[in-house]
mmCIF file of all heavy atoms in Angstrom:
data_model
loop_
_atom_site.group_PDB
_atom_site.id
_atom_site.type_symbol
_atom_site.label_atom_id
_atom_site.label_comp_id
_atom_site.label_asym_id
_atom_site.label_seq_id
_atom_site.Cartn_x
_atom_site.Cartn_y
_atom_site.Cartn_z
ATOM 1 N N SER A 84 -10.171 -10.868 6.737
ATOM 2 C CA SER A 84 -8.891 -10.334 6.845
ATOM 3 C C SER A 84 -8.435 -10.016 5.408
ATOM 4 O O SER A 84 -8.763 -10.784 4.468
ATOM 5 C CB SER A 84 -7.855 -11.265 7.583
ATOM 6 O OG SER A 84 -7.915 -12.551 6.829
ATOM 7 N N VAL A 85 -7.681 -9.065 5.272
ATOM 8 C CA VAL A 85 -7.178 -8.788 3.865
ATOM 9 C C VAL A 85 -5.514 -8.666 3.938
ATOM 10 O O VAL A 85 -5.010 -8.280 5.088
ATOM 11 C CB VAL A 85 -7.681 -7.431 3.267
ATOM 12 C CG1 VAL A 85 -9.152 -7.547 3.126
ATOM 13 C CG2 VAL A 85 -7.351 -6.262 4.048
ATOM 14 N N ALA A 113 -12.585 -5.994 8.917
ATOM 15 C CA ALA A 113 -11.506 -6.939 8.567
ATOM 16 C C ALA A 113 -10.246 -6.504 9.231
ATOM 17 O O ALA A 113 -10.025 -5.234 9.413
ATOM 18 C CB ALA A 113 -11.453 -7.050 7.119
ATOM 19 N N LEU A 114 -9.463 -7.464 9.448
ATOM 20 C CA LEU A 114 -8.031 -7.201 9.900
ATOM 21 C C LEU A 114 -7.118 -7.125 8.841
ATOM 22 O O LEU A 114 -7.367 -7.729 7.721
ATOM 23 C CB LEU A 114 -7.593 -8.314 10.950
ATOM 24 C CG LEU A 114 -8.288 -8.269 12.345
ATOM 25 C CD1 LEU A 114 -7.797 -9.492 13.121
ATOM 26 C CD2 LEU A 114 -8.013 -6.949 13.069
ATOM 27 N N LEU A 115 -5.914 -6.531 9.001
ATOM 28 C CA LEU A 115 -4.913 -6.324 8.006
ATOM 29 C C LEU A 115 -3.699 -7.080 8.272
ATOM 30 O O LEU A 115 -3.057 -6.951 9.281
ATOM 31 C CB LEU A 115 -4.672 -4.808 7.632
ATOM 32 C CG LEU A 115 -3.556 -4.484 6.646
ATOM 33 C CD1 LEU A 115 -4.118 -4.872 5.299
ATOM 34 C CD2 LEU A 115 -3.145 -3.013 6.706
ATOM 35 N N ILE A 116 -3.324 -7.918 7.364
ATOM 36 C CA ILE A 116 -2.094 -8.695 7.545
ATOM 37 C C ILE A 116 -1.060 -8.055 6.421
ATOM 38 O O ILE A 116 -1.373 -7.975 5.228
ATOM 39 C CB ILE A 116 -2.157 -10.189 7.162
ATOM 40 C CG1 ILE A 116 -3.278 -10.780 8.048
ATOM 41 C CG2 ILE A 116 -0.795 -10.911 7.400
ATOM 42 C CD1 ILE A 116 -3.469 -12.225 7.766
ATOM 43 N N ASN A 117 0.008 -7.507 6.967
ATOM 44 C CA ASN A 117 0.908 -6.984 5.874
ATOM 45 C C ASN A 117 2.442 -7.405 5.935
ATOM 46 O O ASN A 117 2.915 -7.817 7.032
ATOM 47 C CB ASN A 117 0.968 -5.429 5.765
ATOM 48 C CG ASN A 117 0.832 -4.807 7.030
ATOM 49 O OD1 ASN A 117 1.321 -5.421 7.987
ATOM 50 N ND2 ASN A 117 0.478 -3.605 7.234
ATOM 51 N N ARG A 137 -3.630 -18.565 3.760
ATOM 52 C CA ARG A 137 -4.380 -18.188 4.956
ATOM 53 C C ARG A 137 -5.843 -17.786 4.617
ATOM 54 O O ARG A 137 -6.516 -17.513 5.500
ATOM 55 C CB ARG A 137 -3.687 -16.930 5.625
ATOM 56 C CG ARG A 137 -2.236 -17.113 6.289
ATOM 57 C CD ARG A 137 -2.320 -18.306 7.298
ATOM 58 N NE ARG A 137 -0.809 -18.436 7.731
ATOM 59 C CZ ARG A 137 -0.333 -17.869 8.758
ATOM 60 N NH1 ARG A 137 -1.043 -17.209 9.597
ATOM 61 N NH2 ARG A 137 0.904 -18.170 9.081
ATOM 62 N N THR N 99 -0.828 -20.737 15.087
ATOM 63 C CA THR N 99 -1.211 -20.043 14.020
ATOM 64 C C THR N 99 -0.041 -19.574 13.019
ATOM 65 O O THR N 99 -0.268 -19.042 11.980
ATOM 66 C CB THR N 99 -2.311 -18.999 14.255
ATOM 67 O OG1 THR N 99 -1.634 -18.042 15.121
ATOM 68 C CG2 THR N 99 -3.466 -19.616 14.831
ATOM 69 N N SER N 101 1.311 -16.716 13.371
ATOM 70 C CA SER N 101 1.070 -15.292 13.193
ATOM 71 C C SER N 101 1.148 -14.573 14.412
ATOM 72 O O SER N 101 0.848 -15.163 15.545
ATOM 73 C CB SER N 101 -0.347 -15.089 12.533
ATOM 74 O OG SER N 101 -1.398 -15.589 13.359
ATOM 75 N N VAL N 102 1.511 -13.323 14.440
ATOM 76 C CA VAL N 102 1.687 -12.566 15.608
ATOM 77 C C VAL N 102 0.987 -11.082 15.304
ATOM 78 O O VAL N 102 0.938 -10.731 14.190
ATOM 79 C CB VAL N 102 3.109 -12.246 16.071
ATOM 80 C CG1 VAL N 102 3.819 -13.593 16.265
ATOM 81 C CG2 VAL N 102 3.907 -11.590 15.033
ATOM 82 N N GLY N 103 0.549 -10.550 16.393
ATOM 83 C CA GLY N 103 -0.172 -9.338 16.350
ATOM 84 C C GLY N 103 0.702 -8.257 16.707
ATOM 85 O O GLY N 103 1.531 -8.355 17.678
ATOM 86 N N LEU N 104 0.567 -7.031 16.112
ATOM 87 C CA LEU N 104 1.272 -5.885 16.601
ATOM 88 C C LEU N 104 0.118 -4.718 16.622
ATOM 89 O O LEU N 104 -0.472 -4.364 15.746
ATOM 90 C CB LEU N 104 2.205 -5.410 15.602
ATOM 91 C CG LEU N 104 2.961 -4.061 15.836
ATOM 92 C CD1 LEU N 104 3.631 -4.100 17.259
ATOM 93 C CD2 LEU N 104 3.994 -3.668 14.746
ATOM 94 N N VAL N 105 0.063 -4.236 17.918
ATOM 95 C CA VAL N 105 -0.965 -3.120 18.207
ATOM 96 C C VAL N 105 -0.093 -1.879 18.363
ATOM 97 O O VAL N 105 0.665 -1.777 19.360
ATOM 98 C CB VAL N 105 -1.834 -3.409 19.318
ATOM 99 C CG1 VAL N 105 -2.732 -2.192 19.495
ATOM 100 C CG2 VAL N 105 -2.621 -4.699 19.225
ATOM 101 N N SER N 118 7.610 -1.392 13.096
ATOM 102 C CA SER N 118 6.762 -2.445 12.605
ATOM 103 C C SER N 118 7.610 -3.381 11.693
ATOM 104 O O SER N 118 7.450 -4.575 11.672
ATOM 105 C CB SER N 118 5.567 -1.784 11.904
ATOM 106 O OG SER N 118 4.694 -2.650 11.443
ATOM 107 N N ALA N 130 6.521 -16.690 10.649
ATOM 108 C CA ALA N 130 5.231 -16.180 11.126
ATOM 109 C C ALA N 130 4.755 -14.982 10.272
ATOM 110 O O ALA N 130 5.598 -14.190 9.854
ATOM 111 C CB ALA N 130 5.189 -15.895 12.546
ATOM 112 N N LEU N 131 3.540 -14.705 10.268
ATOM 113 C CA LEU N 131 3.000 -13.533 9.535
ATOM 114 C C LEU N 131 2.572 -12.514 10.600
ATOM 115 O O LEU N 131 2.463 -12.938 11.661
ATOM 116 C CB LEU N 131 1.782 -13.835 8.689
ATOM 117 C CG LEU N 131 1.970 -14.620 7.311
ATOM 118 C CD1 LEU N 131 0.722 -15.008 6.745
ATOM 119 C CD2 LEU N 131 2.876 -13.772 6.437
ATOM 120 N N LEU N 132 2.603 -11.333 10.212
ATOM 121 C CA LEU N 132 2.309 -10.157 11.021
ATOM 122 C C LEU N 132 0.940 -9.548 10.747
ATOM 123 O O LEU N 132 0.745 -9.027 9.646
ATOM 124 C CB LEU N 132 3.410 -9.067 10.988
ATOM 125 C CG LEU N 132 3.202 -7.849 11.781
ATOM 126 C CD1 LEU N 132 3.271 -8.268 13.278
ATOM 127 C CD2 LEU N 132 4.308 -6.739 11.595
ATOM 128 N N ILE N 133 0.113 -9.390 11.777
ATOM 129 C CA ILE N 133 -1.218 -8.740 11.622
ATOM 130 C C ILE N 133 -0.994 -7.458 12.471
ATOM 131 O O ILE N 133 -0.724 -7.535 13.668
ATOM 132 C CB ILE N 133 -2.337 -9.536 12.131
ATOM 133 C CG1 ILE N 133 -2.241 -10.929 11.579
ATOM 134 C CG2 ILE N 133 -3.680 -8.831 11.993
ATOM 135 C CD1 ILE N 133 -3.498 -11.804 12.117
ATOM 136 N N ASN N 134 -1.156 -6.337 11.928
ATOM 137 C CA ASN N 134 -1.053 -5.102 12.679
ATOM 138 C C ASN N 134 -2.180 -4.202 12.580
ATOM 139 O O ASN N 134 -2.894 -4.110 11.543
ATOM 140 C CB ASN N 134 0.283 -4.488 12.641
ATOM 141 C CG ASN N 134 0.668 -4.243 11.141
ATOM 142 O OD1 ASN N 134 -0.116 -4.425 10.227
ATOM 143 N ND2 ASN N 134 1.886 -4.098 10.938
ATOM 144 N N GLY N 135 -2.320 -3.412 13.626
ATOM 145 C CA GLY N 135 -3.452 -2.509 13.725
ATOM 146 C C GLY N 135 -3.202 -1.253 14.479
ATOM 147 O O GLY N 135 -2.212 -1.308 15.424
ATOM 148 N N LEU N 147 -8.798 -4.175 19.460
ATOM 149 C CA LEU N 147 -7.854 -4.807 18.534
ATOM 150 C C LEU N 147 -7.097 -5.853 19.078
ATOM 151 O O LEU N 147 -7.067 -6.925 18.437
ATOM 152 C CB LEU N 147 -6.727 -3.731 18.132
ATOM 153 C CG LEU N 147 -6.761 -3.329 16.711
ATOM 154 C CD1 LEU N 147 -6.036 -2.016 16.635
ATOM 155 C CD2 LEU N 147 -6.210 -4.389 15.879
ATOM 156 N N ALA N 150 -9.399 -8.925 19.460
ATOM 157 C CA ALA N 150 -9.622 -9.459 18.230
ATOM 158 C C ALA N 150 -8.560 -10.326 17.702
ATOM 159 O O ALA N 150 -8.714 -11.479 17.150
ATOM 160 C CB ALA N 150 -9.954 -8.370 17.154
ATOM 161 N N LEU N 151 -7.315 -9.809 17.884
ATOM 162 C CA LEU N 151 -6.200 -10.635 17.589
ATOM 163 C C LEU N 151 -6.088 -12.015 18.348
ATOM 164 O O LEU N 151 -5.712 -13.042 17.826
ATOM 165 C CB LEU N 151 -4.824 -9.784 17.737
ATOM 166 C CG LEU N 151 -4.713 -8.720 16.733
ATOM 167 C CD1 LEU N 151 -3.605 -7.690 17.178
ATOM 168 C CD2 LEU N 151 -4.464 -9.209 15.310
ATOM 169 N N ARG N 154 -8.445 -14.470 17.020
ATOM 170 C CA ARG N 154 -7.926 -15.135 15.816
ATOM 171 C C ARG N 154 -6.729 -16.060 16.169
ATOM 172 O O ARG N 154 -6.107 -16.676 15.327
ATOM 173 C CB ARG N 154 -7.174 -14.112 14.873
ATOM 174 C CG ARG N 154 -8.097 -13.085 14.217
ATOM 175 C CD ARG N 154 -9.084 -13.719 13.302
ATOM 176 N NE ARG N 154 -10.026 -12.732 12.855
ATOM 177 C CZ ARG N 154 -9.929 -12.195 11.648
ATOM 178 N NH1 ARG N 154 -9.026 -12.604 10.916
ATOM 179 N NH2 ARG N 154 -10.930 -11.255 11.275
ATOM 180 N N ARG N 155 -6.470 -16.112 17.465
ATOM 181 C CA ARG N 155 -5.481 -17.030 18.116
ATOM 182 C C ARG N 155 -4.072 -16.801 17.499
ATOM 183 O O ARG N 155 -3.327 -17.757 17.227
ATOM 184 C CB ARG N 155 -5.919 -18.460 17.789
ATOM 185 C CG ARG N 155 -7.224 -18.910 18.461
ATOM 186 C CD ARG N 155 -7.154 -18.849 20.065
ATOM 187 N NE ARG N 155 -8.247 -19.498 20.667
ATOM 188 C CZ ARG N 155 -9.244 -18.719 21.130
ATOM 189 N NH1 ARG N 155 -9.370 -17.440 20.943
ATOM 190 N NH2 ARG N 155 -10.297 -19.305 21.762
ATOM 191 N N VAL N 156 -3.780 -15.469 17.396
ATOM 192 C CA VAL N 156 -2.343 -15.166 17.177
ATOM 193 C C VAL N 156 -1.482 -15.838 18.243
ATOM 194 O O VAL N 156 -1.826 -16.116 19.406
ATOM 195 C CB VAL N 156 -1.944 -13.593 17.184
ATOM 196 C CG1 VAL N 156 -2.676 -12.925 16.093
ATOM 197 C CG2 VAL N 156 -2.330 -12.919 18.476
ATOM 198 N N GLY N 158 1.314 -14.731 19.467
ATOM 199 C CA GLY N 158 1.867 -13.693 20.427
ATOM 200 C C GLY N 158 1.381 -12.239 19.916
ATOM 201 O O GLY N 158 0.786 -12.124 18.811
ATOM 202 N N LEU N 159 1.667 -11.426 20.980
ATOM 203 C CA LEU N 159 1.074 -10.041 20.740
ATOM 204 C C LEU N 159 2.187 -9.064 21.192
ATOM 205 O O LEU N 159 2.652 -9.220 22.275
ATOM 206 C CB LEU N 159 -0.141 -9.900 21.762
ATOM 207 C CG LEU N 159 -1.367 -9.100 21.355
ATOM 208 C CD1 LEU N 159 -1.823 -9.330 19.853
ATOM 209 C CD2 LEU N 159 -2.439 -9.329 22.383
ATOM 210 N N VAL N 160 2.588 -8.153 20.202
ATOM 211 C CA VAL N 160 3.341 -7.041 20.661
ATOM 212 C C VAL N 160 2.579 -5.803 20.739
ATOM 213 O O VAL N 160 1.748 -5.454 19.775
ATOM 214 C CB VAL N 160 4.480 -6.766 19.584
ATOM 215 C CG1 VAL N 160 5.289 -5.662 19.955
ATOM 216 C CG2 VAL N 160 5.372 -8.010 19.460
#
Side-chain angles (χ1 to χ4, degrees):
Chain A
S84 59
V85 300
L114 289 175
L115 177 65
I116 308 181
N117 43 21
R137 297 295 179 101
Chain N
T99 55
S101 59
V102 300
L104 171 61
V105 180
S118 183
L131 288 174
L132 178 64
I133 309 181
N134 43 18
L147 241 167
L151 292 166
R154 297 293 177 103
R155 296 298 188 263
V156 291
L159 216 46
V160 175

